Amino acid sequence: MNSQGAVVADNDGKPIWKFLLKELKPKGRWLTPFNIISIPIILLGIVLIVIRFWKGIGAITNLSQEIPWGLWIGFDVVTGVAFAGGAYVITFMVYILNMRQYHSIVRVTVLNGFLAYLFYAGALLLDLGRPWNVINPIIGNNFGVSSVLFLVAWHFLLYMIAQLIEFSPAIAEWLGARRARKILSAMTLGAVIFGITLSMLHQSGLGALYLMAKEKIHPLWYSEFIPIMFFVSSIFAGLSMVIFEGSISHRVFFSQISEKNHHKQRGIVFGLSKICTGAMFVYFFLQLLVFIHGKHWDLINTPMGYWYLLEMLGFVLLPMILFFYSYRSGNILLVRVAAILTIVGIVLNRLNVTIIGFRWDMAVHYVPSWMEIVVTLTVLFTELWIFRWVINRLPVLRDSPAWVKEENN
Amino acid sequence: MDLHRRDFLKVMCATGLTLATGKALNAAPKDKNVPEFYGILYDSVRCKGCRGCEYDCADANGLPEPEPTKNIKGLRKPDENRRTVINEHKTSKGTVYVKMQCMHCNEPACAAACLTQAMSKTKEGPVIWRGDKCMGCRYCMVSCPFDMPKFEYHSPNPKIQKCTMCYDTRILKGELPACVENCPNEALMFGTRRELISEARRRIYEKPGEYVEQIYGEHEAGGSGWLYLSPVPFEELGMNTSLQNASYPALTKGFLYSVPSVFVLVPALLLGIQQATKKNHPNEESDDE
Ligand code: SF4
Ligand code: SF4
């Protein structure tokens, strides 16, 4: 059968645009708790964004001349991208290490990663004072190659393309485009390899952004090894997010998941917690080395020192031990607790570098305004809306249509 | 350093993933030992705190008129409405005035940070900003060790404000920067860095009791175009003395140099692992490509 025939056969003979129009309509109930909370916030956020472009960034943010980057960069971009790291780790395991048992979570993880990047890049545009010039470093009339930000920006862009390619077979299956699916599937390995390389570089690059702010970041969080720390922690940050999201989406999108994959989920979760344990051990050890190397013993007995200890012991060491015990004892609840602690720990770490420890010595500290928080929530909720839309339509959690299997055999 | 740079470019080209356009990686001039940059020597022993330079600067750059002296309380910093300020400090040797503005670093962190080259070091020495390139990311502000680029937070078309040494408006026409030309007390002197440093040394040497033996800006942050003389240790003048002497862009060089090698080695490694593990798992499941 050719690809034309496939479209016809899969969409009950309707032309493609009618199919798309039908798919655009919302499915399911409207008055869900999620909708009731998210719709007003998104509407408010849109109003705030209009104000921001009309009156300037200062109209809705608490940023200052000393603290030029706040919540939108420190949380939306730096923290968000760390959590999106699950996509490169999972594709590494499935396509490079050929650990096929994790295959059922590849699509949802990549989709999550792609949407995360799409929206965090969007958040970045909100933060740019002169966004119309964003085109300059892209089309190449001004390449600031000595800039870490240049590298990070380019990698965001390229990585989004790589992720789109990784995800595209799902789109092809949705549209019933058989030949396109074949071609796109063949590109997966290339995209994966390219994507992992890009991820390693921009995950660490986000840390490298702060290397020049040497005196501005609290010495317990600043070291020349920030890039390595950011990279290693992105591994377990991403996986913890995968575990956390998995436990939620398995409930919310229960009907989509086949019996077989439900059973596999347990094994997957324990496998991931093993990897988390290992990565966190490496990370903790590195942090310890950096701490000893930095000779900051005197700083431990200060408020910032206690804060540092809380992060390292309470949100790295403790979840690491919990992860370890959870897979030894087969306790899935413990895995979830560990994943949530890890997520909190990563948020703490990224905010400590970018916001809390940044200019910790200033008299007036930066605290995000409620408007910055609403805009952040707007970005997050819009992402979840799109995510839900895609999950309900494309074969992401649910199995691929029957013709895919036929073709593979 | 030069060798590294060449290697870097070679590898870059070899990968075909050329993010570089063949320009040098750092924002510093090609030949590292050219201190023929222009700069300004500020002598706080001579400065009488008349704040004339604040007015001249505002005038020359179309900024609002500075506030009258009687309204000033405490220390001020340059901001989006003033590119320079004169602060009054009570020190162990009485009242000393200090001028603050962008230092025009030899290897400016702001220019290395800028991904659009809007912030750049001219071959004459001034570090300038160009609005048609800047995208307002404020990474220059995060990176500058002296906190000098200032952002117009309350404008829909915000600019980065900082001292440009009057590069476009005066230096290129062969005139002196506005502040230097109008200083009634000869506290400001324009010249090449080399001239200024020897002039500063001469003043220290001739009146050893009046100056501390340090030229602020000679080494700080890799050296800067603005150089300062002071009668008291620079801490007393609120100058940041904890800065490193190495240049700030050097802090990210290690990371940036590693990028091309990662691009060559990692994909090869990944492909190798993929091939090696493929044989061990002969198509366990049918639901994949
Ligand atoms: S003082 Fe700051 S803004 Fe001025 S040249 Fe140096 S790094 Fe750039
Ligand atoms: S704000 Fe403008 S000048 Fe500063 S780094 Fe960003 S693009 Fe460059």
Side-chain angles (χ1 to χ4, degrees):
Chain A
M1 211 191 280
N2 61 24
S3 56
Q4 282 273 298
V7 174
V8 174
D10 270 294
N11 302 324
D12 313 323
K14 267 182 270 164
I16 187 85
W17 61 270
K18 268 199 181 148
F19 167 70
L20 286 177
L21 218 59
K22 186 193 90 203
E23 292 283 77
L24 268 179
K25 288 207 193 93
K27 284 185 182 176
R29 288 189 309 128
W30 261 97
L31 287 175
T32 58
F34 173 72
N35 288 2
I36 291 172
I37 298 172
S38 65
I39 291 174
I41 291 191
I42 292 178
L43 291 178
L44 181 59
I46 292 171
V47 174
L48 292 175
I49 290 170
V50 170
I51 296 177
R52 173 250 168 276
F53 280 105
W54 177 29
K55 296 256 175 176
I57 293 174
I60 68 165
T61 68
N62 280 349
L63 296 174
S64 65
Q65 302 297 353
E66 283 77 27
I67 315 237
W69 283 358
L71 190 72
W72 293 349
I73 301 286
F75 185 75
D76 300 20
V77 180
V78 178
T79 313
V81 167
F83 289 131
Y88 83 89
V89 184
I90 299 284
T91 53
F92 174 72
M93 287 158 58
V94 171
Y95 294 104
I96 305 298
L97 297 181
N98 281 296
M99 296 158 89
R100 289 301 182 194
Q101 64 270 34
Y102 296 98
H103 193 265
S104 60
I105 59 168
V106 166
R107 273 190 185 170
V108 64
T109 315
V110 170
L111 173 66
N112 249 317
F114 174 72
L115 290 179
Y117 277 89
L118 196 65
F119 280 88
Y120 304 148
L124 206 72
L125 286 182
L126 293 181
D127 201 64
L128 293 183
R130 310 166 66 85
W132 51 91
N133 277 341
V134 74
I135 201 77
N136 282 341
I138 296 173
I139 58 174
N141 51 3
N142 301 107
F143 270 0
V145 287
S146 62
S147 169
V148 180
L149 191 59
F150 176 79
L151 184 107
V152 170
W154 260 96
H155 283 195
F156 275 12
L157 208 69
L158 294 174
Y159 187 49
M160 284 203 297
I161 297 173
Q163 281 186 316
L164 196 59
I165 295 174
E166 288 168 22
F167 187 69
S168 59
I171 301 175
E173 285 167 20
W174 171 57
L175 298 174
R178 297 193 178 195
R179 195 180 303 154
R181 185 190 173 278
K182 259 223 158 82
I183 298 169
L184 292 169
S185 298
M187 288 162 70
T188 301
L189 183 63
V192 164
I193 290 182
F194 191 47
I196 295 171
T197 315
L198 289 169
S199 291
M200 286 177 72
L201 287 171
H202 72 242
Q203 290 286 359
S204 48
L206 282 175
L209 279 181
Y210 287 86
L211 285 176
M212 280 198 277
K214 194 179 174 195
E215 286 82 17
K216 302 184 187 179
I217 297 174
H218 191 279
L220 284 172
W221 284 276
Y222 181 93
S223 78
E224 60 199 290
F225 302 105
I226 300 184
I228 295 173
M229 296 299 176
F230 270 43
F231 167 62
V232 176
S233 56
S234 75
I235 297 173
F236 57 82
L239 292 183
S240 297
M241 208 45 159
V242 171
I243 295 173
F244 178 69
E245 277 165 350
S247 71
I248 291 179
S249 54
H250 263 242
R251 232 162 278 160
V252 177
F253 301 106
F254 187 82
S255 56
Q256 301 231 357
I257 301 162
S258 69
E259 194 65 24
K260 192 178 83 186
N261 283 344
H262 262 303
H263 284 306
K264 274 202 294 191
Q265 185 68 9
R266 243 182 111 77
I268 289 178
V269 168
F270 286 126
L272 295 183
S273 59
K274 251 185 237 179
I275 301 170
C276 282
T277 315
M280 290 175 92
F281 182 76
V282 173
Y283 176 72
F284 188 75
F285 191 70
L286 284 175
Q287 285 282 13
L288 201 66
L289 282 184
V290 167
F291 175 73
I292 294 169
H293 181 80
K295 301 196 186 71
H296 293 313
W297 294 103
D298 50 322
L299 291 176
I300 282 296
N301 202 8
T302 63
M304 284 308 262
Y306 307 145
W307 186 237
Y308 174 81
L309 285 182
L310 179 72
E311 180 196 322
M312 287 306 149
L313 302 180
F315 294 99
V316 182
L317 190 64
L318 178 67
M320 179 184 103
I321 295 171
L322 291 183
F323 270 131
F324 180 73
Y325 274 113
S326 64
Y327 73 75
R328 298 304 286 294
S329 60
N331 185 341
I332 207 121
L333 191 72
L334 214 54
V335 181
R336 292 200 182 131
V337 173
I340 290 171
L341 283 181
T342 310
I343 289 171
V344 175
I346 291 294
V347 172
L348 277 185
N349 175 262
R350 297 304 194 264
L351 293 187
N352 280 337
V353 173
T354 58
I355 295 179
I356 300 169
F358 192 86
R359 286 307 167 82
W360 82 102
D361 51 351
M362 279 210 339
V364 188
H365 285 274
Y366 161 82
V367 178
S369 70
W370 66 268
M371 294 177 277
E372 286 177 80
I373 297 173
V374 169
V375 171
T376 297
L377 289 177
T378 302
V379 171
L380 192 79
F381 283 142
T382 318
E383 188 204 330
L384 290 177
W385 270 78
I386 305 272
F387 180 74
R388 187 176 60 177
W389 186 89
V390 175
I391 294 276
N392 280 331
R393 284 161 186 80
L394 272 60
V396 177
L397 286 172
R398 96 176 90 94
D399 284 341
S400 299
W403 56 265
V404 176
K405 242 171 220 164
E406 272 164 41
E407 234 160 60
N408 277 339
N409 291 338
Chain B
M1 210 38 83
D2 261 323
L3 191 73
H4 276 174
R5 198 184 300 155
R6 225 171 292 131
D7 282 350
F8 168 77
L9 288 174
K10 240 185 264 164
V11 184
M12 270 302 222
C13 298
T15 58
L17 291 158
T18 325
L19 289 176
T21 48
K23 283 181 193 145
L25 238 193
N26 51 1
K30 289 267 165 354
D31 192 344
K32 266 197 113 178
N33 301 320
V34 201
E36 289 306 323
F37 288 145
Y38 285 107
I40 295 173
L41 173 64
Y42 170 75
D43 189 334
S44 62
V45 171
R46 296 186 181 185
C47 174
K48 300 279 178 289
C50 69
R51 299 180 57 229
C53 51
E54 279 189 33
Y55 286 82
D56 298 325
C57 178
D59 199 33
N61 295 299
L63 296 167
E65 182 164 316
E67 69 240 89
T69 306
K70 60 179 189 324
N71 291 356
I72 295 173
K73 282 179 212 74
L75 299 177
R76 297 173 303 151
K77 284 179 177 168
D79 62 27
E80 70 270 38
N81 292 320
R82 49 188 185 215
R83 294 183 180 181
T84 185
V85 295
I86 297 278
N87 275 326
E88 183 184 310
H89 287 269
K90 300 273 176 263
T91 70
S92 49
K93 284 197 178 173
T95 302
V96 177
Y97 298 95
V98 177
K99 186 176 185 302
M100 285 174 84
Q101 73 299 303
C102 164
M103 299 288 286
H104 297 275
C105 307
N106 288 354
E107 290 185 60
C110 58
C114 183
L115 74 171
T116 63
Q117 295 176 321
M119 206 57 106
S120 62
K121 179 104 177 145
T122 58
K123 63 180 191 308
E124 292 86 355
V127 176
I128 59 165
W129 174 84
R130 282 164 295 182
D132 57 332
K133 304 191 172 197
C134 172
M135 57 190 231
C137 67
R138 309 191 292 290
Y139 186 31
C140 48
M141 302 169 69
V142 172
S143 303
C144 168
F146 300 97
D147 260 338
M148 279 307 160
K150 307 290 174 181
F151 183 75
E152 295 175 348
Y153 280 107
H154 291 281
S155 158
N157 181 9
K159 292 193 272 297
I160 295 277
Q161 290 285 0
K162 75 167 199 64
C163 163
T164 57
M165 237 191 246
C166 298
Y167 179 73
D168 294 313
T169 45
R170 305 178 64 101
I171 290 190
L172 283 186
K173 294 183 192 146
E175 295 169 38
L176 290 174
C179 53
V180 178
E181 186 167 278
N182 298 313
C183 177
N185 301 308
E186 296 193 326
L188 293 168
M189 179 179 168
F190 183 81
T192 66
R193 255 191 117 234
R194 202 200 302 269
E195 289 163 8
L196 296 177
I197 288 176
S198 50
E199 168 65 15
R201 292 233 170 86
R202 193 183 61 76
R203 289 187 201 173
I204 295 174
Y205 177 76
E206 284 179 357
K207 296 181 182 159
E210 278 190 26
Y211 295 97
V212 290
E213 264 187 61
Q214 186 191 354
I215 307 170
Y216 190 92
E218 188 180 4
H219 302 297
E220 280 72 13
S224 55
W226 276 78
L227 299 160
Y228 282 68
L229 283 174
S230 161
V232 291
F234 284 96
E235 295 87 69
E236 289 190 43
L237 301 182
M239 314 270 293
N240 192 343
T241 47
S242 62
L243 297 178
Q244 62 173 22
N245 281 345
S247 87
Y248 277 74
L251 290 168
T252 54
K253 262 176 207 161
F255 175 76
L256 287 169
Y257 284 147
S258 71
V259 171
S261 359
V262 169
F263 256 121
V264 179
L265 299 179
V266 172
L269 189 71
L270 292 177
L271 201 62
I273 300 176
Q274 195 267 343
Q275 292 297 323
T277 55
K278 202 158 93 182
K279 302 204 179 66
N280 300 338
H281 300 265
N283 232 4
E284 270 177 16
E285 259 183 52
S286 54
D287 66 347
D288 57 64
E289 301 48 58

